[in-house]
Amino acid sequence: MASFATACRLSARLASRRVAQDASVRGLRTSAASRAAQNFTMPALSPTMTEGNIATWKVKEGDEFAAGDVLLEIETDKASMDVEAQDDGIMMKIFAADGSKAVQVGTRIGVLAEPGDDISSLEIPADESKSAQQGAKKEEAPSQSGAPSEAAPQKKAADSSKRKTSGQKAPPQKYPLYPSVEHLVKEHKLDEAALSEITPTGPQGRLLKGDVLAYLGSITESRPADIKKRFDHNSHLDLSNIKIAAPAAPPKAQKAAAPEAPVPEDLLVVLPISLASVIETQKKIEASLGTFLPLSTFVARAAEVANDELPLPSNYKPSANELFNQVLGLDKVDPKVSRGLYIPQITAVPPTSFTGVAPKPKPSKVDIIDLLSGSPKKSAKPAAQSLGQPGISAGTNTFSLKVPKSEEKRAQVFLARLKTVLEQDPGRLVL
């Protein structure tokens, strides 16, 4: 409910209490007829609202209502809103029916009574909104003699006394005005001449609310200028207090970098293996079958046999199932093995390399016939003769593997198997 209606209701209550007190003192009786009804005017539901349309009344004449009940629905050009009752009361009379258009704010639209009042005996109060409008029109209208009324000059003089003008012409205003400025202009009925006297202090020469308030005398005249000065000062970056930093001190000698972890080098696993048994088998096959098998074939087949079921490297990471088998001890019953991919490097060495003592050469006897005839003596057959394979001889050969540290044991097992096959049972390689 509008604040004006609330104020009217409050004054009526105070008046009724005063009448009751006087009656009790004088010995008189009071009745419901002594109570007053209040006008209910069109409320302003927003600061910029000047008029509205009555969509529908939620109560009828004679209906009682409680605080918080919706009395009517008002429509504006922006929204549709409900008006709620602030106190309990009775809807005595409705003056603006449903569908009323362009009802000005402050115009009487109904009359309200207090709870328990006999509305049939109450008098409808005078329409104060019409009397106020008529009084305003009389003040504005000139008298019959053509001279303005006395109230109008007094009001204008009062308004002009509050305004602070510099007497100078201000730059033309930029439109549209800010909503707050436009509201003040309409509220105080400032015309173009008045706006031309106001000096704008806003960005890009725009008029601000503070400029209008200073013109009306609501704030000091210097307040807008002070605010503009502060904003102009803060809008520029002040570099006067910035000093150039001193050159940085030369960096201290960095500490010696920690030595990097050594990269593990590969190990060379070596094992001497004799090919005497392989040569004998080679001769037997050539004599019986007429087929010559080179030593490289025997070595390749022996490497295939030796690569089967080798132990795992020391850095092998077992799977979840293998870890579970280790907990149960099943890894010892059926140890995990894998096939290798080793290819040995073979180097032929003299037999003396492994005995440590070189045999003394036997003195050869000089035949006088050979010496006189000039025919050369046949040289003795070397103990280790080449078999047509580079790096392989009929004597002892060095088999080597270059492997990481974690595969040292695995490589040793491979070379041991290779030695067993080539020295003890090379015939199985032919089958």
Side-chain angles (χ1 to χ4, degrees):
M1 185 182 295
S3 59
F4 179 74
T6 304
C8 293
R9 186 179 295 106
L10 181 59
S11 62
R13 288 180 181 176
L14 294 176
S16 62
R17 291 176 184 174
R18 182 65 179 177
V19 172
Q21 291 176 359
D22 295 342
S24 63
V25 173
R26 299 176 184 176
L28 302 177
R29 293 183 302 170
T30 60
S31 63
S34 63
R35 300 178 183 177
Q38 302 91 31
N39 289 324
F40 177 38
T41 60
M42 170 67 77
L45 302 180
S46 66
T48 59
M49 177 178 171
T50 58
E51 61 181 23
N53 304 328
I54 297 178
T56 177
W57 284 91
K58 304 298 182 181
V59 294
K60 300 179 181 178
E61 294 183 356
D63 290 349
E64 296 185 358
F65 55 85
D69 293 347
V70 179
L71 299 181
L72 74 161
E73 182 182 353
I74 296 178
E75 294 179 349
T76 64
D77 55 346
K78 297 181 180 179
S80 176
M81 294 165 282
D82 294 334
V83 178
E84 298 180 354
Q86 302 297 323
D87 297 313
D88 301 344
I90 303 175
M91 178 57 66
M92 180 178 176
K93 185 69 175 178
I94 296 177
F95 287 96
D98 295 348
S100 299
K101 303 293 184 181
V103 181
Q104 298 294 323
V105 173
T107 303
R108 183 175 68 173
I109 59 176
V111 177
L112 305 178
E114 294 292 332
D117 289 350
D118 185 4
I119 60 177
S120 62
S121 60
L122 292 179
E123 295 182 359
I124 297 177
D127 189 357
E128 299 177 356
S129 61
K130 289 185 177 180
S131 61
Q133 292 176 1
Q134 291 175 358
K137 290 181 179 179
K138 289 181 180 180
E139 292 178 357
E140 294 177 358
S143 62
Q144 295 179 356
S145 60
S149 63
E150 297 180 358
Q154 292 178 358
K155 183 177 180 181
K156 292 182 179 180
D159 293 342
S160 61
S161 63
K162 295 181 181 179
R163 299 172 183 174
K164 304 293 182 179
T165 60
S166 60
Q168 298 179 356
K169 192 75 172 179
Q173 304 295 345
K174 294 186 177 180
Y175 292 88
L177 300 176
Y178 290 130
S180 58
V181 176
E182 188 173 0
H183 176 70
L184 286 176
V185 170
K186 291 183 177 180
E187 182 180 3
H188 296 276
K189 300 179 180 179
L190 300 177
D191 52 9
E192 294 291 338
L195 290 178
S196 63
E197 297 178 359
I198 305 177
T199 302
T201 60
Q204 300 179 355
R206 300 296 296 274
L207 193 65
L208 299 180
K209 180 180 179 181
D211 302 332
V212 181
L213 293 177
Y215 175 78
L216 297 173
S218 301
I219 60 175
T220 59
E221 185 179 1
S222 60
R223 181 63 176 169
D226 295 340
I227 296 176
K228 182 177 184 300
K229 182 178 179 181
R230 185 173 72 251
F231 273 92
D232 292 342
H233 174 73
N234 295 335
S235 62
H236 299 282
L237 183 62
D238 185 11
L239 303 178
S240 60
N241 59 346
I242 297 179
K243 298 181 180 180
I244 300 177
K252 297 180 180 179
Q254 298 181 354
K255 296 181 179 179
E260 298 180 357
V263 179
E265 299 181 357
D266 294 340
L267 298 177
L268 186 63
V269 182
V270 181
L271 184 66
I273 300 177
S274 175
L275 298 180
S277 299
V278 176
I279 295 174
E280 293 181 1
T281 305
Q282 183 185 40
K283 293 179 180 180
K284 291 180 180 180
I285 294 173
E286 186 178 3
S288 60
L289 300 178
T291 303
F292 176 77
L293 292 178
L295 294 180
S296 58
T297 302
F298 286 91
V299 174
R301 294 181 180 180
E304 288 289 331
V305 175
N307 275 314
D308 287 337
E309 298 182 355
L310 292 176
L312 298 176
S314 59
N315 61 348
Y316 174 75
K317 294 182 180 180
S319 61
N321 293 334
E322 293 171 356
L323 290 174
F324 184 72
N325 292 337
Q326 291 179 6
V327 174
L328 300 179
L330 299 179
D331 59 324
K332 298 179 181 179
V333 177
D334 186 13
K336 181 71 175 178
V337 293
S338 66
R339 178 171 178 78
L341 300 174
Y342 296 130
I343 299 176
Q345 299 294 325
I346 306 173
T347 305
V349 295
T352 55
S353 300
F354 297 95
T355 59
V357 180
K360 296 181 180 180
K362 297 181 179 180
S364 58
K365 296 181 180 181
V366 181
D367 193 347
I368 190 61
I369 299 175
D370 295 333
L371 182 61
L372 295 177
S373 61
S375 59
K377 185 178 180 182
K378 295 181 180 180
S379 59
K381 185 178 181 180
Q385 52 182 327
S386 176
L387 300 177
Q389 300 294 335
I392 300 178
S393 66
T396 303
N397 297 268
T398 301
F399 286 67
S400 61
L401 289 175
K402 196 173 185 179
V403 295
K405 178 67 176 178
S406 59
E407 299 185 18
E408 180 180 6
K409 182 179 179 181
R410 182 181 173 91
Q412 290 175 352
V413 173
F414 170 80
L415 291 179
R417 291 181 179 177
L418 195 66
K419 180 179 179 67
T420 301
V421 174
L422 293 177
E423 292 184 354
Q424 297 182 5
D425 191 13
R428 60 181 292 189
L429 303 175
V430 182
L431 300 178

